[in-house]
Amino acid sequence: MSAVTGLDDLESLATARLAPGAAEYIRRGSDDNRTRSANLAAWARWALVPHVLRDVADVHPATTVLGAAVRAPVLVAPTAMQQLACPDAEEATARGAARARTLMIVSMAASRSVEAVAAAAPDASRWAQMYLLRDRGRTRALAERARDAGYRAIVASVDGAAVPVDRRSATPAPPGLPFPNLASPGETHADLLAALADFDPTVTADDLALFRDWTGLPVVVKGVLRADDARACIAAGAAGLAVSNHGGRLVDGCVATGDVLPEIADAVGDDAEVYVDGGIRSGVDVLRALALGARAVLIGRPVVWGLAIDGEDGVAAVLDLLMRDLTRAMRFCGARDLDAITRDLLAPTGR
């Protein structure tokens, strides 16, 4: 990782270390990858319009997310099956995120239990991502386990349960790969395809309150791409919203997250915190997202690439690179802190 000065090198370096099936699973979007490509292109449609003659000797990117302090608004997105990238899986990611002094969101389909990930970095902040299952009792049990392990929020994903896909060809789960958070009580392994079939496609905004009722934790709704849906989530009690199209992995031709972020952020106002993922590859991209209304960004594939390259050290290096690059972009734009990152720092490029 020491030779990597930007994220452009990471995918090829990681691919060289990964099994072909794992590399393809991490890389791919849906169908022709149009949405994945659109996510990347959306940020480039905004050019920086920097201030000059501002005192930027000291730049402070620190913030909070739902009250948890982080070194910079760069969080770890929930990504499944991290044992495909590294034997230490999510435990290594948790330690790397803790070293970077940021927050990790742990996937329901993680290779390690919510308890094991918490134990790997006991003093760090973390949230638990999950879907509502048809079996509400199993969902409640996992949510309560996360609460008891010290997780500070539940991230309710709402963008995938109703999408019928060929899970068998899309999800390379080698024999023996554990899914402890999806397993039945008393077991450590689960049949992933059977677990995915239990995702409930009938969920509505009225169901979101279940997570808060079960755990007392704030709820972040992940997968929002419309302002009206954002308002419905807030009306249902959501404390945060993640603008996300699942990394372009579900249905091709979907709107890019960077294109819809401003409208959603404006509709939400101060009623909830807004986060965004999808195609963020530099500190300039992070600054663009903040200027368009996000409180923080969620980083998925680059973190897993770092994990594949150098385990815990690779995760920490990727996050540190993005945070340092954000600080550099802030200094260039004359922004001493995050409050100074306003929409007038951007201009559309017309592309």
Side-chain angles (χ1 to χ4, degrees), residues 129-141:
Q129 176 270 338
M130 58 189 69
Y131 286 90
L132 267 171
L133 304 178
R134 300 175 198 267
D135 185 338
R136 294 292 197 260
R138 288 181 60 210
T139 317
R140 177 173 184 166

Side-chain angles (χ1 to χ4, degrees), residues 86-286:
C86 172
D88 290 337
E90 290 83 5
E91 293 171 87
T93 302
R95 291 191 292 267
R99 282 170 50 185
R101 304 199 306 278
T102 194
L103 182 145
M104 175 184 180
I105 306 173
V106 179
S107 171
M108 188 182 204
S111 312
R112 297 291 183 270
S113 69
V114 290
E115 294 87 355
V117 179
D123 296 326
S125 297
R126 67 194 64 83
W127 298 343
Q129 176 270 338
M130 58 189 69
Y131 286 90
L132 267 171
L133 304 178
R134 300 175 198 267
D135 185 338
R136 294 292 197 260
R138 288 181 60 210
T139 317
R140 177 173 184 166
L142 179 57
E144 291 175 342
R145 282 172 53 195
R147 176 201 61 201
D148 294 345
Y151 289 70
R152 298 189 180 190
I154 301 296
V155 178
S157 285
V158 296
D159 60 352
V163 180
V165 296
D166 183 355
R167 303 285 188 179
R168 193 171 299 277
S169 64
T171 306
L177 190 71
F179 293 95
N181 302 318
L182 293 169
S184 300
E187 298 182 3
T188 58
H189 287 60
D191 180 329
L192 179 60
L193 293 175
L196 293 175
D198 196 32
F199 286 9
D200 189 351
T202 71
V203 171
T204 69
D206 293 337
D207 297 303
L208 295 173
L210 289 172
F211 286 115
R212 188 180 64 250
D213 294 343
W214 291 335
T215 66
L217 297 175
V219 176
V220 175
V221 183
K222 182 176 181 290
V224 178
L225 291 168
R226 296 174 56 102
D228 52 356
D229 284 348
R231 293 306 312 175
C233 291
I234 292 169
L241 304 168
V243 179
S244 173
N245 57 28
H246 215 99
R249 297 172 71 86
L250 293 177
V251 175
D252 219 359
C254 184
V255 67
T257 52
D259 288 339
V260 296
L261 172 61
E263 180 184 3
I264 293 172
D266 289 346
V268 169
D270 295 329
D271 293 335
E273 295 186 359
V274 175
Y275 320 112
V276 66
D277 66 22
I280 294 167
R281 297 292 185 268
S282 69
V284 172
D285 288 345
V286 177

Side-chain angles (χ1 to χ4, degrees), residues 45-66:
R45 282 194 280 273
W46 293 99
L48 301 182
V49 186
H51 286 292
V52 295
L53 299 175
R54 303 292 176 96
D55 181 353
V56 288
D58 295 309
V59 173
H60 305 284
T63 189
T64 61
V65 286
L66 297 183

